[in-house]
Amino acid sequence: MNVDNRYFWPHKDLLDVTQLSGEETLRLLDLAARFQDINRRPVKKVPTLKGKTVVLFFVEDSTRTKTSFDVAAKRLSADTYALAKSGSSINKGESLKDTALTLQAMGPDVIVMRHASSGAAEYLANLLDCSVVNGGDGWHAHPTQALLDCFTLRQAWQGRFTERAVLILGDIAHSRVARSNVHLLAMLGTRVRLCAPRTLLPAGVDNWPVEVYSDLGRAVRGVDAVMCLRLQLERQQAGLLPDLAEYSRRFCLTADHLALAEPGACILHPGPLNRGLEIADDIADAPASLVLDQVSSGVATRMAILYLLATRRDKDVL
Ligand code: NCD
């Protein structure tokens, strides 16, 4: 593959989208589009990262992010090794620091980490010489999800992020996906609305570059995309969510709501889905739903991220 090898990616790690400029973001998304072409070929493998090693260090559950990074690395011919909490010495009480130093001693080029604590990826990045990618840390950030969401929207919107509006709907308070998406979409010039019960809005939301709604019918009017979020039942504190039936009556996205959006508006959801709770069953499978496009965009976007990080120090890139 022919990549502009005069370009130097300035970041050792990808910890959050806040570290990226608009230009860097678009460059990364352009590169992802070229990797997506490879993913459409009958033989979906190139030797670009042959000899590089990617460790998947997932201390919290994951289906999409972990598999997507694994597929992305393998499509580029990198070797991958997975370490999960269960079956590792973390279960014997080993500290994050000792586990990380042990992994680094095996010489990986990139470690992708998911962890339940906000700031865990940054802690690792400051400790290690190899690149660290944040695969989701607590409620804090999920940069690769926001990048793949913007990649998906860029394709659906024929490249234009300005004069567009996105509604992010649901459990914003516990969502690292919402935090990273709000920042990235606002930076790219898209208007962002949030809709959630008051108890599921984060503290300090008044300082976010968003419009906040509590009525879904009003929030959805005229938007170009709706991003539904999973109700994070495992992260709820007592009292935040008294009644699931009431939640779904007021905040579950249905065909009636979608009829109020712009014609052709698309639906996103990072997955996993609680069907019937935050998104109606038929809407999740409707033609306007880009949920599975997000998954394929995720592979291409993560190929671009691994490529930029794993080759940034190479003199001869290809
Ligand atoms: C998200 C996550 O883990 O933050 N899922 C994902 O990465 N695809 C959202 C969620 O769990 O609800």
Side-chain angles (χ1 to χ4, degrees):
M1 201 186 131
N2 231 347
V3 178
D4 178 3
N5 54 8
R6 285 159 307 172
Y7 181 70
F8 177 74
W9 184 251
H11 309 286
K12 173 176 95 69
D13 311 292
L14 178 60
L15 303 178
D16 195 1
V17 288
T18 49
Q19 74 188 88
L20 302 179
S21 66
E23 194 202 330
E24 285 163 358
T25 302
L26 293 178
R27 212 172 240 280
L28 194 155
L29 298 183
D30 284 344
L31 183 57
R34 296 169 68 182
F35 284 124
Q36 199 186 38
D37 291 341
I38 293 174
N39 291 337
R40 291 190 176 125
R41 293 181 193 163
V43 177
K44 303 174 179 57
K45 199 170 173 108
V46 289
T48 313
L49 294 187
K50 199 165 182 341
K52 304 283 185 185
T53 305
V54 176
V55 170
L56 307 169
F57 179 31
F58 278 65
V59 189
E60 209 189 46
D61 294 346
S62 171
T63 298
R64 289 160 193 76
T65 308
K66 186 173 171 192
T67 314
S68 176
F69 267 110
D70 199 13
V71 172
K74 289 188 165 107
R75 294 251 163 105
L76 295 170
S77 300
D79 297 315
T80 64
Y81 300 93
L83 183 72
K85 187 170 183 220
S86 79
S88 78
S89 292
I90 302 169
N91 272 351
K92 296 182 186 167
E94 185 170 62
S95 69
L96 183 57
K97 178 176 174 178
D98 283 333
T99 309
L101 289 172
T102 304
L103 289 175
Q104 172 160 273
M106 297 177 199
D109 298 281
V110 181
I111 296 181
V112 183
M113 181 171 77
R114 170 168 288 190
H115 200 283
S117 301
S118 299
E122 186 178 357
Y123 172 75
L124 220 65
N126 290 336
L127 194 69
L128 306 181
D129 294 330
C130 68
S131 293
V132 173
V133 178
N134 184 2
D137 61 331
W139 304 354
H140 171 237
H142 196 346
T144 68
Q145 181 69 43
L147 286 162
L148 78 86
D149 289 338
C150 285
F151 181 86
T152 309
L153 287 173
R154 194 187 197 195
Q155 291 197 323
W157 291 346
Q158 283 87 40
R160 210 183 78 209
F161 285 103
T162 53
E163 291 164 53
R164 307 280 192 194
V166 171
L167 167 64
I168 304 181
L169 168 65
D171 187 356
I172 319 273
H174 301 107
S175 178
R176 51 196 176 205
V177 174
R179 283 174 177 76
S180 290
N181 260 303
V182 165
H183 182 89
L184 199 59
L185 286 164
M187 183 171 69
L188 295 171
T190 300
R191 290 202 328 273
V192 184
R193 298 179 183 179
L194 304 181
C195 181
R198 192 157 283 283
T199 49
L200 293 183
L201 284 170
V205 73
D206 294 343
N207 300 321
W208 291 20
V210 295
E211 296 159 46
V212 180
Y213 293 79
S214 55
D215 180 76
L216 178 50
R218 286 185 53 224
V220 77
R221 209 169 289 270
V223 296
D224 302 280
V226 183
M227 183 182 293
C228 300
L229 298 175
R230 183 174 67 89
L231 189 57
Q232 307 227 350
L233 295 165
E234 76 280 19
R235 297 194 213 268
Q236 303 296 328
Q237 293 139 29
L240 286 187
L241 197 65
D243 182 354
L244 288 186
E246 168 74 2
Y247 179 86
S248 98
R249 198 181 59 71
R250 289 187 53 204
F251 296 101
C252 181
L253 187 73
T254 64
D256 288 347
H257 297 122
L258 212 58
L260 302 170
E262 270 301 292
C266 50
I267 303 153
L268 286 86
H269 191 306
L273 281 69
N274 292 310
R275 287 174 183 257
L277 189 51
E278 70 253 356
I279 185 166
D281 211 14
D282 57 335
I283 288 294
D285 301 323
S289 165
L290 300 184
V291 171
L292 295 178
D293 297 68
Q294 287 172 274
V295 177
S296 14
S297 300
V299 175
T301 307
R302 288 169 176 132
M303 286 169 82
I305 292 162
L306 291 176
Y307 172 82
L308 289 170
L309 295 180
T311 61
R312 62 187 289 279
R313 287 215 189 113
D314 297 357
K315 282 201 182 64
D316 255 339
V317 174
L318 296 173

